[in-house]
Amino acid sequence: MMNQHREEDALRGRAVKNQKAIWDKTLEMRFLLQKAFSTSNKLPQEPIRTMFCSHDKEIEQAYEDLLNSSKQTLDSMTELQEALLESNQAAKDANEIPSASNGENDEWSEVQRLQTWMATFRNTEIDKWQRKIQVTTGAAALKGKLHAFNQNISDQVAGYMRDPSRMINRMYLTKSAVGVFGEDAGEPEAAEEGRIVEGDPELIDDSEFYQQLLKEFLESCDKGASESALYAIRKQQVKKRKLVDRRASKSRKIRYHVHEKITNFMAPVPMAVPPTAPKLFENLFGTSN
């Protein structure tokens, strides 16, 4: 009996060690891709990209090499993810394996297929470990005080993702802030005070998610150095500022509102007052002696 428990503990320890190694390698790959991901926002967009490619064959060839290398990287990542799912019997039993598409330019279809494949297994495992942690740490005793404790993590995420437009809009960047190659930077677009100018859907910034991953990684290595390293990263990052007309402050610019045009209004017409008018008004108001 003792030997059986010892073997189970050893097997569980090896599984945790393998999971930790896979997670560390995944984080390393994500950190290496961050530089390329953020720099890709500066690539020229249409129709400027076509003008550059038609002007010089070397630029066109460089674009082809960039697209091919990006597709190869994405294919390698999807193949690795599919291999990990195939090796996990619980993931195969949790959901039916969707069929792969055979069309052209189906990289994103393949990504969506893998996400659909592991969705049920992912939600089930996350909810299971959440319940175990609540029972172990006593967090389940707070049930009823906070609404979040009455819901599974998967349900909370699903509720948050019912309207993801606000979160997605926060990730959009403006061309003036990024400095897209071939675009005239000019001055930032003026906006009303308190309103953020909408960004370009082609320019995505996921620095918040990247910083959260980096913080967790540093805390797992050295909790003392994580705060200082994260502070240094945030200090180097350009903060998003609300694009407002700053010249309008401190009375440097006249603020005014244009009123609507007056309707059904006629200017007064001068007229000659008859000499008997004063006598008439005196009798009318009873002021005559």
Side-chain angles (χ1 to χ4, degrees), residues 64-253:
E64 291 293 334
D65 296 340
L66 177 61
L67 290 176
N68 292 332
S69 61
S70 300
K71 289 182 179 180
Q72 291 176 3
T73 303
L74 184 59
D75 291 340
S76 300
M77 295 169 62
T78 53
E79 289 176 3
L80 175 60
Q81 187 176 9
E82 187 170 6
L84 292 174
L85 290 173
E86 286 284 355
S87 62
N88 193 331
Q89 187 62 35
K92 296 171 65 176
D93 297 339
N95 200 0
E96 183 180 356
I97 302 176
S99 58
S101 58
N102 297 323
E104 297 181 356
N105 300 326
D106 57 352
E107 287 82 9
W108 296 116
S109 300
E110 181 67 15
V111 172
Q112 184 64 32
R113 183 182 73 87
L114 294 176
Q115 291 294 323
T116 305
W117 182 1
M118 70 174 183
T120 304
F121 168 73
R122 177 197 60 199
N123 296 339
T124 303
E125 290 297 313
I126 290 176
D127 294 340
K128 180 184 72 175
W129 285 104
Q130 179 202 16
R131 290 191 296 269
K132 287 186 176 182
I133 292 174
Q134 286 180 348
V135 173
T136 304
T137 60
L142 300 176
K143 183 178 180 181
K145 294 184 179 180
L146 294 176
H147 183 66
F149 286 106
N150 298 329
Q151 288 184 337
N152 296 325
I153 292 181
S154 59
D155 295 335
Q156 296 180 41
V157 174
Y160 184 76
M161 292 301 295
R162 288 192 183 98
D163 185 17
S165 57
R166 181 179 179 183
M167 179 182 62
I168 294 176
N169 291 334
R170 287 176 55 188
M171 298 175 63
Y172 290 162
L173 298 175
T174 58
K175 292 183 179 180
S176 59
V178 176
V180 178
F181 189 73
E183 297 284 348
D184 186 11
E187 295 183 357
E189 183 180 354
E192 297 179 1
E193 188 173 357
R195 186 177 68 86
I196 301 177
V197 177
E198 295 183 358
D200 190 346
E202 296 292 333
L203 306 177
I204 303 296
D205 176 30
D206 67 337
S207 58
E208 293 184 7
F209 177 67
Y210 171 73
Q211 289 180 7
Q212 183 64 29
L213 289 178
L214 187 59
K215 179 181 178 182
E216 293 179 358
F217 174 73
L218 293 175
E219 286 179 350
S220 63
C221 299
D222 185 4
K223 294 184 178 180
S226 61
E227 294 295 333
S228 58
L230 186 63
Y231 175 76
I233 293 174
R234 289 183 176 177
K235 189 175 181 181
Q236 294 177 358
Q237 184 185 12
V238 179
K239 295 183 178 180
K240 292 183 180 180
R241 302 178 62 182
K242 294 182 179 179
L243 299 179
V244 298
D245 190 358
R246 304 187 183 279
R247 293 176 298 177
S249 62
K250 298 181 180 179
S251 302
R252 289 178 292 180
K253 187 176 181 180

Side-chain angles (χ1 to χ4, degrees), residues 45-60:
Q45 301 178 0
E46 295 293 348
I48 299 177
R49 187 194 71 84
T50 305
M51 294 172 57
F52 280 132
C53 293
S54 60
H55 180 72
D56 193 342
K57 293 297 182 181
E58 293 183 359
I59 298 178
E60 184 178 5

Side-chain angles (χ1 to χ4, degrees), residues 7-25 88 125 128-129 132:
E7 292 177 359
E8 291 178 355
D9 292 340
L11 181 62
R12 190 179 296 109
R14 287 194 296 269
V16 172
K17 185 178 180 180
N18 293 335
Q19 291 176 7
K20 185 66 168 58
I22 294 174
W23 175 246
D24 291 342
K25 287 296 182 181
N88 193 331
E125 290 297 313
K128 180 184 72 175
W129 285 104
K132 287 186 176 182

